[in-house]
Amino acid sequence: MAQTGDGAADTKRPASKSLGGPFEQPLPPAAPDPSQHDAIGAFIQQLNAPGSVNCKDVYKSGENAAQIGTDAFDACFYGHTDSQGKSLELKTPIMHPDTDGKPKPQLEKITTEGITMDSRRLDVFVHALPAVRPVSFESPAGTFAGTAAMIAPDGIMVTNKHVVDGSNGTLQVKMLRSDGTEETRNAHVVKISAKQDLALLQLDHQPNESFAYLPLSQNTSWGAREPFVEMGNANGEGNISMAKARYGSMVQQSEIPFKEQPPDVLQGRTMYRMDATIPHGYSGGVLLSVPGSEREGNGEVQRTGTSAIRGITDYSNLDHKAYVIPAARVQFLMDEYRKEQAAQKKPQ
């Protein structure tokens, strides 16, 4: 939370705009109302439909990965080379310590060849952007901001409970349209687990409207120094950046200095420590697995897996350590909420 102003892969899949690394068997999202089936199918078809992207115009646009869009990235960058056969690069907002030692996003050129670890991380970042969004609210104490992630096609988002503390139950979400422009929508708190420091939001939406979302991983095995992508709203400034993260260790909440913890959390809960440079504002952001990739005989690069949420960022001690909540706890909260929804729909 920030106050502004102060593995074996599941399946082999071709390059596409679908959201979602190796070692993943994502849990199926809790099923929305069956009436949404047709809308979801149309949405998936739209994501996978070939686009008419003019790469010459894209290459002249400044080439910022946070603004390029998934269609342009897949059509013009991922696995592509220039006329001399050299891999292309994109400027990407990556977290680094600033001159004062505090983390700040800085534009770093990353190859888009799709084979190196950094290029695979970049691939995850670009495709997750529509689902990982800045959130904020106004209160008499000021403007507060954090991050939330879309975890279901009907507009359910997850964030930290401490991100919504002090709000009136409604937050503003800066959504990313398919054409790269942004719009602000309201999202309402619908479920809270104070002991796990989690909250679910429902985004305002039109009937049958469907959203790009990230699946929750059911993987509970964390490899030594396993690479991840961590994404969030750095310092609450309203822009999503990424941090290069690696698994550090499993810790108990009670092992973490009490002054660094959010209030009301369960002291017995297990946390996962990441080696990552992240600032305030990444609270409620996501830790994503990194898919594998391989180069085919024809030179094309293929992804060998899909990315999924392995954890939700809870907080950081600003000393290259970030603590995340395992995705299984988010799934548990989501299942509870879906049961409550179903019970409300039952005729009395």
Side-chain angles (χ1 to χ4, degrees):
M1 184 67 165
Q3 183 172 10
T4 59
D6 290 326
D10 351 302
T11 56
K12 181 177 173 181
R13 65 178 176 90
S16 73
K17 196 179 176 183
S18 59
L19 299 185
F23 320 116
E24 294 304 338
Q25 292 287 343
L27 284 174
D33 191 300
S35 64
Q36 295 178 335
H37 179 77
D38 291 341
I40 295 169
F43 176 70
I44 292 172
Q45 286 183 343
Q46 178 187 347
L47 286 182
N48 293 320
S52 55
V53 178
N54 187 327
C55 291
K56 288 183 179 179
D57 290 342
V58 172
Y59 295 148
K60 295 176 183 177
S61 66
E63 302 173 15
N64 186 324
Q67 302 166 347
I68 208 74
T70 53
D71 282 342
F73 179 79
D74 286 342
C76 308
F77 288 98
Y78 184 80
H80 288 59
T81 59
D82 62 17
S83 57
Q84 283 77 44
K86 183 180 178 181
S87 295
L88 301 176
E89 295 179 325
L90 273 175
K91 291 180 284 188
T92 308
I94 306 288
M95 297 307 307
H96 290 284
D98 203 2
T99 52
D100 59 2
K102 294 182 179 179
K104 185 177 181 181
Q106 301 174 23
L107 288 177
E108 177 182 325
K109 285 187 177 181
I110 295 182
T111 176
T112 64
E113 65 176 318
I115 298 295
T116 66
M117 177 54 68
D118 277 358
S119 66
R120 286 156 53 196
R121 281 185 168 126
L122 172 59
D123 184 35
V124 171
F125 172 72
V126 171
H127 284 85
L129 272 170
V132 184
R133 307 309 309 150
V135 296
S136 62
F137 67 87
E138 302 282 345
S139 81
T143 301
F144 294 85
T147 314
M150 195 76 67
I151 57 173
D154 57 344
I156 298 296
M157 307 184 79
V158 63
T159 188
N160 292 140
K161 183 255 184 186
H162 76 258
V163 167
V164 307
D165 282 346
S167 74
N168 63 1
T170 299
L171 288 82
Q172 286 70 55
V173 183
K174 187 188 286 188
M175 297 296 295
L176 184 66
R177 296 191 183 100
S178 59
D179 63 359
T181 58
E182 294 178 329
E183 65 171 321
T184 300
R185 293 201 193 187
N186 288 337
H188 311 280
V189 180
V190 293
K191 182 79 173 173
I192 280 179
S193 172
K195 290 185 179 299
Q196 298 295 345
D197 195 27
L198 291 171
L200 297 181
L201 311 175
Q202 172 65 68
L203 188 72
D204 282 351
H205 61 287
Q206 299 298 320
N208 296 325
E209 186 177 12
S210 190
F211 300 93
Y213 67 95
L214 293 162
L216 295 166
S217 172
Q218 64 182 20
N219 194 322
T220 57
S221 176
W222 299 63
R225 304 293 298 161
E226 185 177 349
F228 294 98
V229 171
E230 203 151 1
M231 294 176 61
N233 175 17
N235 301 305
E237 295 175 355
N239 299 304
I240 299 298
S241 56
M242 83 166 181
K244 302 173 186 179
R246 287 189 178 273
Y247 174 63
S249 63
M250 184 170 66
V251 298
Q252 296 296 313
Q253 184 75 42
S254 56
E255 298 172 25
I256 303 169
F258 192 77
K259 64 180 181 180
E260 297 177 6
Q261 301 178 23
D264 305 322
V265 297
L266 179 67
Q267 289 300 301
R269 68 176 182 165
T270 302
M271 303 285 287
Y272 292 91
R273 180 180 66 79
M274 299 296 129
D275 293 330
T277 299
I278 67 167
H280 296 302
Y282 263 53
S283 292
V286 293
L287 184 81
L288 294 166
S289 53
V290 182
S293 63
E294 61 186 20
R295 193 179 296 278
E296 303 288 342
N298 60 5
E300 290 187 4
V301 178
Q302 300 290 335
R303 301 171 179 94
T304 55
T306 57
S307 186
I309 296 174
R310 291 286 290 276
I312 301 299
T313 303
D314 204 2
Y315 51 93
S316 168
N317 63 5
L318 302 182
D319 185 27
H320 201 64
K321 292 181 178 64
Y323 299 93
V324 302
I325 305 164
R329 298 208 189 118
V330 181
Q331 186 66 57
F332 182 82
L333 190 65
M334 183 69 155
D335 291 344
E336 279 191 335
Y337 177 62
R338 291 301 193 197
K339 289 177 182 177
E340 292 168 2
Q341 282 186 306
Q344 291 173 1
K345 291 180 180 179
K346 285 182 178 179
Q348 300 297 320

